Amino acid sequence: MKPIRLMSGFLTVGFWTLASRVLGFVREIMLLALIGPGPVMDAFVAAFRLPNMFRRFFAEGAFNAAFVPMFSAKLEGDEGAATFGRDALSLLALATLMLTGLAMIFMPALVWATAGGFDAERFDLTVEFGRIVFPYIFFMSLSALFSGVLNATGRFAAAAAAPVLLNVLVIAAMALAWFTGGAIITWLIWTIPLAGVAQLALTWGAASRAGFGLGLSLPKWTPDMAKMVRTAVPAALATGVMQINLVVGQLVASRFDSAVSWLFAADRLYQLPLGVVGIAVGIVLLPDLARRLKAEDYTGARDAYSRAAEFSMALTIPSAVALMVIPLPLVSVLFERGQTGADDVASIAVAVAIYGLGLPAFVLQKVLQPQYFARGDTKRPFHYALVAMVINAALAIGLAPVIGWIAPAIATTVAGWVMLGLLFWGVRGLGEVTTLDTRYRQRLPRIVLAAAVMGVALWMASVALSPALGAAYVRYGALVVLIAIGIISYFGMAHITGALRLSDIRRAVRR
């Protein structure tokens, strides 16, 4: 894959991820307005996090970290990629089916392990909701495998568009419930497994059109499957560390009223740039690095890695600055309505600023992890993740009695930077291919300077627009103006300093 094709892949995945995250915002806005922070929303967040957590481990995390490099290598060497894909699909289907069955039986234990601070009302609601939404993991995991097949073949659009279906269907369900006077939470939770079916249908169909319409068969324990599982087990923790940290945070936050809802809303806000940039880069970079390393194209691998890091920081650093400088205007305009009041908004804004501080670390993890996974090395990221998890748990649990519900956000951010530092330390011995090139080292300080200028402009503009940002209806236009000022000031300064050339972007889009 040529570097510019790599950038095209970033933009494709980034576009669809942006669409998904924007619709996710609409979903969260409706959820906060129609249900609001409290027992019902806390229960929904805790229940929905269960299949999502296991999905990160079984599908997007551990499984794809092992599956995609092996599938890409077999595809590159014409070594029976379709047979390998069919065997992997059958094994994944069996594993997730068994997991779903066990989860349905032991749901109270799962809820206790992830939200043990809930009172009886929230606990019972979470168990009820969890049994309805958990089958989503089965359909979504199979969909993730087909997404891996599509990504390995350079077809990113359908796989990246699949998550959009979840948000479209959930938004439609809540809107229909509100319009007809139905129980919004009931429509919401039953729509989630149906969305999983829709996502699987989309990716399976796209893979079939690409010549990989894999079918289910009796699972076979082949040498390839054994190798894949051996690789996937340590990757489960390495790639899911953020989810584990969030669950630890939820366990601590469950002891404080509405804290689970506040952290969930803040998480959704910083997940927008993380998803659009970090996840998009990771999805495209992993199969590309695997192919280049197999072909011994070390110069191309280094260039792809450097451009991925450069692209990530050019968009992530200004996003982080914005989340830290203007969290209150963002949260107030997006979420303050209906059942979500000013106190809720103030709490969410504090968490957003703290998560924003960790955003560059979270994104760079997505850039660095493919360097390990493309080589089949999941053990060292596993060890690094263990260290980060211990730090996260110690801070979240240790700080909670002192500073209260915000401790999990601080712990997640600190653990994110620790994990990044360990990943950087670990790639030192992997050769020149893991060394960021001169262009990156020259442009990074310029990116930081442009983001700092943007931060000052945002702060001054937020002060000037403060009355408008607090006025009904007008506040939406005021927020658009504020965001426009941020975009113009950052990209203008980036172009002046050479941090990001508009010609680079135009060439990437054209090609």
Side-chain angles (χ1 to χ4, degrees):
M1 184 184 287
K2 297 178 181 179
I4 205 67
R5 172 77 180 278
L6 188 72
M7 184 61 71
S8 176
F10 293 159
L11 295 174
T12 298
V13 177
F15 169 79
W16 283 108
T17 305
L18 176 62
S20 176
R21 295 307 166 98
V22 168
L23 288 172
F25 263 129
V26 176
R27 182 187 75 191
E28 261 53 88
I29 288 169
M30 293 178 68
L31 185 62
L32 285 161
L34 298 175
I35 298 176
V40 174
M41 183 169 171
D42 282 356
F44 168 74
V45 170
F48 189 43
R49 184 160 283 158
L50 288 172
N52 272 321
M53 178 182 68
F54 284 105
R55 173 174 61 91
R56 299 283 185 181
F57 293 156
F58 278 84
E60 294 175 354
F63 189 83
N64 266 359
F67 172 78
V68 171
M70 292 181 68
F71 185 85
S72 297
K74 287 183 178 296
L75 197 62
E76 180 75 17
D78 194 19
E79 300 170 0
T83 300
F84 172 74
R86 185 191 64 237
D87 291 343
L89 176 67
S90 302
L91 186 64
L92 180 63
L94 177 63
T96 52
L97 192 61
M98 292 174 61
L99 174 65
T100 301
L102 290 171
M104 302 291 272
I105 297 170
F106 297 107
M107 186 59 65
L110 277 176
V111 173
W112 176 83
T114 57
F118 278 175
D119 54 28
E121 178 189 8
R122 289 186 294 172
F123 186 91
D124 291 342
L125 277 175
T126 306
V127 171
E128 178 186 347
F129 296 165
R131 284 183 168 139
I132 295 171
V133 302
F134 202 89
Y136 174 72
I137 188 179
F138 174 77
F139 304 108
M140 190 57 224
S141 294
L142 300 190
S143 176
L145 181 141
F146 286 109
S147 295
V149 169
L150 291 167
N151 292 336
T153 59
R155 296 170 173 85
F156 300 106
V164 175
L165 285 176
L166 171 66
N167 291 326
V168 168
L169 292 174
V170 165
I171 290 169
M174 286 196 289
L176 188 58
W178 175 78
F179 182 74
T180 61
I184 292 170
I185 189 63
T186 302
W187 284 69
L188 172 61
I189 58 176
W190 280 104
T191 300
I192 289 170
L194 294 177
V197 176
Q199 289 173 291
L200 175 57
L202 174 64
T203 53
W204 199 333
S208 296
R209 290 190 294 274
F212 289 96
L214 309 176
L216 291 171
S217 63
L218 288 175
K220 299 176 183 177
W221 189 250
T222 66
D224 279 337
M225 293 300 100
K227 179 182 178 181
M228 186 181 71
V229 171
R230 285 195 304 269
T231 305
V233 169
L237 187 55
T239 59
V241 63
M242 185 177 296
Q243 291 300 307
I244 293 174
N245 288 343
L246 287 174
V247 169
V248 171
Q250 177 179 279
L251 188 60
V252 173
S254 67
R255 303 183 184 278
F256 302 90
D257 289 342
S258 298
V260 171
S261 300
W262 294 335
L263 290 174
F264 173 75
D267 175 71
R268 300 309 301 172
L269 193 54
Y270 92 87
Q271 284 283 343
L272 177 61
L274 174 60
V276 172
V277 182
I279 295 176
V281 166
I283 286 172
V284 179
L285 185 59
L286 177 55
D288 184 54
L289 278 180
R291 283 195 296 270
R292 289 184 185 278
L293 292 174
K294 184 175 178 63
E296 299 184 356
D297 178 14
Y298 301 121
T299 301
R302 183 190 184 196
D303 184 67
Y305 170 56
S306 298
R307 297 293 70 74
E310 179 185 326
F311 173 77
S312 299
M313 290 301 94
L315 297 182
T316 299
I317 291 176
S319 298
V321 170
L323 292 178
M324 289 186 285
V325 173
I326 56 167
L328 191 58
L330 288 171
V331 173
S332 175
V333 175
L334 289 171
F335 296 140
E336 188 175 1
R337 64 183 54 78
Q339 300 299 313
T340 301
D343 290 342
D344 297 315
V345 163
S347 299
I348 295 169
V350 172
V352 166
I354 294 170
Y355 283 141
L357 184 61
L359 181 61
F362 302 142
V363 171
L364 279 175
Q365 286 179 34
K366 303 294 184 183
V367 178
L368 274 165
Q369 284 174 340
Q371 288 285 9
Y372 295 87
F373 298 153
R375 294 168 170 80
D377 179 6
T378 56
K379 291 183 179 180
R380 285 192 297 168
F382 168 78
H383 296 147
Y384 303 154
L386 276 179
V387 175
M389 278 177 49
V390 170
I391 291 173
N392 174 77
L395 289 176
I397 297 170
L399 291 177
V402 180
I403 61 177
W405 68 272
I406 200 62
I410 295 174
T412 298
T413 294
V414 172
W417 282 106
V418 170
M419 179 71 174
L420 176 64
L422 291 171
L423 288 169
F424 263 122
W425 179 77
V427 299
R428 294 178 307 162
L430 296 180
E432 188 177 351
V433 69
T434 63
T435 303
L436 293 163
D437 63 15
T438 302
R439 172 174 151 178
Y440 173 85
R441 293 195 297 270
Q442 290 176 341
R443 289 196 174 189
L444 182 61
R446 301 170 186 175
I447 291 170
V448 173
L449 175 61
V453 170
M454 180 206 72
V456 173
L458 280 177
W459 179 79
M460 295 174 63
S462 66
V463 172
L465 291 170
S466 181
L469 288 166
Y473 303 110
V474 177
R475 60 181 180 159
Y476 303 110
L479 181 61
V480 171
V481 171
L482 186 59
I483 293 173
I485 290 172
I487 292 173
I488 293 170
S489 60
Y490 172 70
F491 283 103
M493 191 65 186
H495 186 69
I496 291 171
T497 61
L500 186 65
R501 299 290 187 187
L502 295 180
S503 57
D504 294 341
I505 299 174
R506 284 196 296 267
R507 282 197 301 269
V509 172
R510 281 200 306 267
R511 302 184 197 181

